[in-house]
């Protein structure tokens, strides 16, 4: 490295896609040579990596600090951790900031990924007001007493609202999957759906992969916790 020091800092973001984040950050920052700013997308989250090369560690840190300060003016609402940390840790922390806030979790046709991740975090289990699970979308539909056939996405929305209201929770996450579907059909057919309900507002999305895929476990958990974290964080600032 010719006697140079290379340092990096990673701003971990959630609640925004890579293309949208790219646009918010802007070309000047992304095309700068030193420090450099690069994006690395993961399942439902995006890392923003700032890398500086300098004669000393202190100089590199100072260069990174200038770029970080500039980035924070644009993407602060989406940053949940610096360098390390998980979205479930950030979500538990965000819940703890809002007095009396709890989260209900409903998982259908899929292993209990979200509730398991949150239970592994200190105080995470205590902040979950309820954890319910159903084997299939049909059994969930029966439990909600829904007479007419509806899409998985609509079913997830009903489940999230019902879980929050039944348990007096500020927020709820509901995942609904076709349990035996091991294929990814893209946008051709719903295989999984996720909905979050926070303080009377519902957000949802559907995926082509079914509950028997690794994609369902990683993407539904990541998107659900990321969206709830962002909405609760916004509420805590009101």
């Amino acid at each position: 490295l010719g006697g140079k020091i290379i340092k990096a800092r990673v701003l971990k973001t959630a609640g925004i896609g890579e293309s949208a984040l790219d646009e918010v950050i802007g070309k000047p920052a992304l095309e700068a040579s030193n420090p450099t700013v690069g994006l690395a997308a993961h399942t439902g989250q995006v890392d923003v990596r700032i890398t500086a090369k300098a004669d000393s560690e202190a100089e590199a840190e100072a260069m990174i600090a200038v770029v970080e300060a500039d980035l924070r003016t644009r993407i602060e609402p989406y940053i949940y951790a610096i360098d390390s940390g998980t979205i479930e840790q950030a979500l538990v922390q965000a819940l703890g900031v809002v007095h009396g806030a709890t989260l209900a979790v409903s998982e259908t046709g899929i292993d209990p990924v979200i509730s398991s991740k949150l239970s592994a975090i200190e105080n995470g289990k205590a902040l979950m007001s309820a954890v319910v699970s159903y084997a299939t979308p049909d059994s969930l539909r029966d439990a909600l007493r829904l007479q007419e056939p509806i899409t998985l996405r609509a079913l997830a929305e009903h489940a999230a609202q019902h879980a929050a209201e039944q348990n007096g929770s500020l927020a709820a996450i509901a995942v609904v999957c076709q349990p035996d579907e091991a294929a990814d059909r893209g946008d051709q057919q719903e295989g999984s759906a996720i909905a979050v309900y926070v303080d009377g507002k519902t957000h949802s999305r559907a995926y082509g992969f079914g509950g028997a895929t690794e994609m369902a476990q990683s993407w539904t958990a990541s998107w659900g916790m990321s969206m709830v974290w962002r909405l609760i964080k916004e509420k805590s600032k009101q």
Side-chain angles (χ1 to χ4, degrees), residues 110-186:
I110 191 171
D111 291 337
V113 182
I114 295 174
S115 54
S116 294
K117 286 180 178 290
L118 290 172
S119 294
I121 306 300
E122 183 179 359
N123 204 39
K125 196 169 186 179
L127 289 170
M128 283 190 289
S129 59
V131 177
V132 295
S133 62
Y134 298 91
T136 67
D138 285 340
S139 57
L140 171 62
R141 188 179 293 109
D142 290 342
L144 295 176
R145 298 181 181 179
L146 299 174
Q147 302 297 322
E148 299 296 327
I150 57 176
T151 64
L152 288 187
R153 185 171 183 173
L155 184 56
E157 291 174 351
H158 277 282
Q161 182 173 349
H162 181 267
E165 293 177 346
Q166 283 290 105
N167 295 285
S169 298
L170 171 70
I173 304 175
V175 179
V176 182
C177 301
Q178 298 291 0
D180 300 324
E181 180 59 68
D184 183 352
R185 303 181 185 279

Side-chain angles (χ1 to χ4, degrees), residues 14-165:
I16 185 172
E18 183 180 12
S19 58
L21 192 62
D22 187 283
E23 185 174 340
V24 172
I25 291 174
K27 282 188 176 182
L30 292 170
E31 293 177 353
S33 58
N34 188 31
T36 60
V37 176
L39 305 185
H42 303 285
T43 52
Q45 295 148 36
V46 184
D47 288 347
V48 181
R49 185 182 183 89
I50 308 168
T51 305
K53 182 167 66 173
D55 293 326
S56 68
E57 184 171 344
E59 184 182 351
E61 290 280 6
M63 293 167 65
I64 288 173
V66 171
V67 174
E68 180 181 354
D70 177 62
L71 289 176
R72 282 183 176 276
T73 63
R74 310 175 204 184
I75 65 172
E76 178 70 33
Y78 308 104
I79 300 173
Y80 71 86
I82 305 297
D83 291 331
S84 62
T86 64
I87 189 60
E88 51 265 34
Q89 290 172 329
L91 175 53
V92 169
Q93 183 178 26
L95 282 165
V97 171
V98 182
H99 178 69
T102 58
L103 172 72
V105 179
S106 174
E107 295 163 304
T108 297
I110 191 171
D111 291 337
V113 182
I114 295 174
S115 54
S116 294
K117 286 180 178 290
L118 290 172
S119 294
I121 306 300
E122 183 179 359
N123 204 39
K125 196 169 186 179
L127 289 170
M128 283 190 289
S129 59
V131 177
V132 295
S133 62
Y134 298 91
T136 67
D138 285 340
S139 57
L140 171 62
R141 188 179 293 109
D142 290 342
L144 295 176
R145 298 181 181 179
L146 299 174
Q147 302 297 322
E148 299 296 327
I150 57 176
T151 64
L152 288 187
R153 185 171 183 173
L155 184 56
E157 291 174 351
H158 277 282
Q161 182 173 349
H162 181 267
E165 293 177 346

Side-chain angles (χ1 to χ4, degrees), residues 218-233:
S218 60
W219 275 93
T220 55
S222 180
W223 188 87
M225 290 190 289
S226 296
M227 184 58 69
V228 171
W229 165 80
R230 181 184 167 194
L231 295 173
I232 290 177
K233 184 179 177 183

